[in-house]
Each structure stands twice: as C-alpha cells, then as structure tokens.
C-alpha cells in the first residue's frame, strides 16, 4: 500500500499569521477535508485519507498503478493538487484573503500489509488525541497570561488528568470536543 503524507510547513505560524483560533478552527478543518476530498476524486485509487491539523495521509489501494507507482510523479501531482485546492477554496471558508500560500511537503511510505495500514491509522489517531490535549492546554495557559515557554514547560511536566483539569477549570471539557478535533478527520471511499 502506498501512503502519501502531505504536510503544511510551519502550520503553527500560518495559524498565527491568519489569526485562527489556535489550536483548532473548524474552518481550516473543513477546508483541509475538502482538499482531501478533491484529491480523492482525482486519484480514484485512494481508498482512505486521514487528516489532523495541517496534514493529510492518503492510502492508495494495494493494486494501484497510478503513474506506474512512480514515487516522484505521485508526490508531485498529489501535493500540487492539494495545495492548489487549498488556495482556490480558501475564500469559501474564510471571509478574509489568504496572506500567503502555505508551503506543503509530502512523503511516501510503503506498507506491505493491510494490518500495518490499520495500525498506522490507529497510531495516528492516538497521537492526534495526545497532541490535541497538549495544544488545547498550551492555548488555555497562554490565554490566562502564561508565556509560550511557561506553557510548554507546564504541559511537559503534567500528566493527562492534570491537563484535563486545567482545561476543565477554563470551561473546556476535553471529552465533549468534537471527534475531528481530538482524533482527526478520516474519509473513506464508498464501495
């Protein structure tokens, strides 16, 4: 199985420059999901895509013959389609113009078995949940007046329940957040 991972370079700075409600803004989640859908429409051998924050992973069928499975050709075409869709659809989700187009990088990973693909997606969701909890906690601490460095240090030295308590004291029940905030967005091709 071919897995192409497309990632926004310096996504944190892009969010700051465009004044997103960090760490997550539904508009950017929906924009990235639309970009992924567009890629899946164009590359019909992609069965699953998974996205979290500024990146998406696309899993091709094992039998794909897209561009004769040439790595550079797949990377170039998929990444440029994702990036151009991002810029083209920006105004659909945001009422202000994009200040600069983000840079995207992509990598390919090959998975020999379906079980490994499933494990990869489960691992990504678990990692996303941990990262989401950390980012929400950092954001809440910064809003309460702590510096970014202080917030990072607090998050580094607290466990999951302590982070949940920090959020709860600031009016956020982490368990009530939408799944696409906590675990990312997954798209399947209907059979």
């Amino acid at each position: 199985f071919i897995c192409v991972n497309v990632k926004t370079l310096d996504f944190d700075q892009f969010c700051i420059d465009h004044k997103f409600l960090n760490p997550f803004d539904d508009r950017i989640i929906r924009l990235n999901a639309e970009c992924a859908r567009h890629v899946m429409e164009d590359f019909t051998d992609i069965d699953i895509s998974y996205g979290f924050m500024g990146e998406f992973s696309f899993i091709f069928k094992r039998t794909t013959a897209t561009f004769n499975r040439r790595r550079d050709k797949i990377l170039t075409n998929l990444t440029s389609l994702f990036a151009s869709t991002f810029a083209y659809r920006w105004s659909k989700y945001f009422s202000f113009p994009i200040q600069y187009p983000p840079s995207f990088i992509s990598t390919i990973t090959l998975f020999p078995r379906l079980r490994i693909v499933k494990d990869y997606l489960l691992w990504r969701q678990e990692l996303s949940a941990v990262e989401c909890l950390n980012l929400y906690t950092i954001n809440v601490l910064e809003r309460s007046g702590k510096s970014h460095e202080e917030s990072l240090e607090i998050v580094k030295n607290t466990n999951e329940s302590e982070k949940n308590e920090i959020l709860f004291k600031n009016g956020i029940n982490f368990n009530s957040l939408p799944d696409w905030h906590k675990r990312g967005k997954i798209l399947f091709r209907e059979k």
Side-chain angles (χ1 to χ4, degrees), residues 99-117:
Q99 292 183 24
Y100 57 88
S103 296
F104 294 92
I105 59 168
S106 57
T107 57
I108 281 187
T109 306
L110 300 178
F111 296 119
R113 291 185 299 285
L114 183 59
R115 178 74 242 160
I116 296 173
V117 172

Side-chain angles (χ1 to χ4, degrees), residues 48-71:
I48 300 169
S49 65
Y50 171 78
F52 181 72
M53 289 185 51
E55 63 183 275
F56 251 92
S57 294
F58 298 92
I59 312 288
F60 283 81
K61 295 177 186 175
R62 187 176 193 161
T63 58
T64 188
T66 303
F67 298 120
N68 293 322
R69 297 178 68 95
R70 289 175 33 219
R71 178 181 144 300

Side-chain angles (χ1 to χ4, degrees), residues 17-135:
D17 293 344
H18 288 85
K19 297 177 179 50
F20 294 164
L21 180 59
N22 200 19
F24 299 99
D25 187 311
D26 280 337
R27 297 172 298 179
I28 196 70
I29 293 170
R30 290 193 315 267
L31 173 59
N32 279 331
E34 182 169 339
C35 294
R37 274 189 209 96
H38 190 76
V39 167
M40 288 179 76
E41 287 170 8
D42 204 59
F43 289 85
T44 56
D45 276 358
I46 296 173
D47 273 342
I48 300 169
S49 65
Y50 171 78
F52 181 72
M53 289 185 51
E55 63 183 275
F56 251 92
S57 294
F58 298 92
I59 312 288
F60 283 81
K61 295 177 186 175
R62 187 176 193 161
T63 58
T64 188
T66 303
F67 298 120
N68 293 322
R69 297 178 68 95
R70 289 175 33 219
R71 178 181 144 300
D72 292 340
K73 192 93 166 165
I74 292 170
L75 287 177
T76 302
N77 283 278
L78 194 146
T79 307
S80 64
L81 180 61
F82 190 92
S84 60
T85 303
F86 188 94
Y88 182 71
R89 294 292 185 191
W90 175 269
S91 62
K92 180 178 177 181
Y93 296 97
F94 294 93
S95 59
F96 54 87
I98 192 169
Q99 292 183 24
Y100 57 88
S103 296
F104 294 92
I105 59 168
S106 57
T107 57
I108 281 187
T109 306
L110 300 178
F111 296 119
R113 291 185 299 285
L114 183 59
R115 178 74 242 160
I116 296 173
V117 172
K118 290 177 182 177
D119 289 345
Y120 168 75
L121 291 171
L122 288 172
W123 169 76
R124 288 296 309 264
Q125 284 190 316
E126 289 172 14
L127 186 65
S128 298
V130 170
E131 192 172 340
C132 178
L133 179 60
N134 289 340
L135 289 171

Side-chain angles (χ1 to χ4, degrees), residues 4 48 54 61 73 75 80 82 93 97 104 108 118 124 132 136-138 161 166-167 169 173 175 180 186 189-191:
V4 178
I48 300 169
K61 295 177 186 175
K73 192 93 166 165
L75 287 177
S80 64
F82 190 92
Y93 296 97
F104 294 92
I108 281 187
K118 290 177 182 177
R124 288 296 309 264
C132 178
Y136 264 95
T137 306
I138 288 168
S161 63
I166 291 169
L167 294 177
K169 285 180 180 175
N173 182 343
N175 292 325
W180 58 87
I186 193 159
R189 182 173 306 283
E190 289 189 52
K191 301 290 181 189

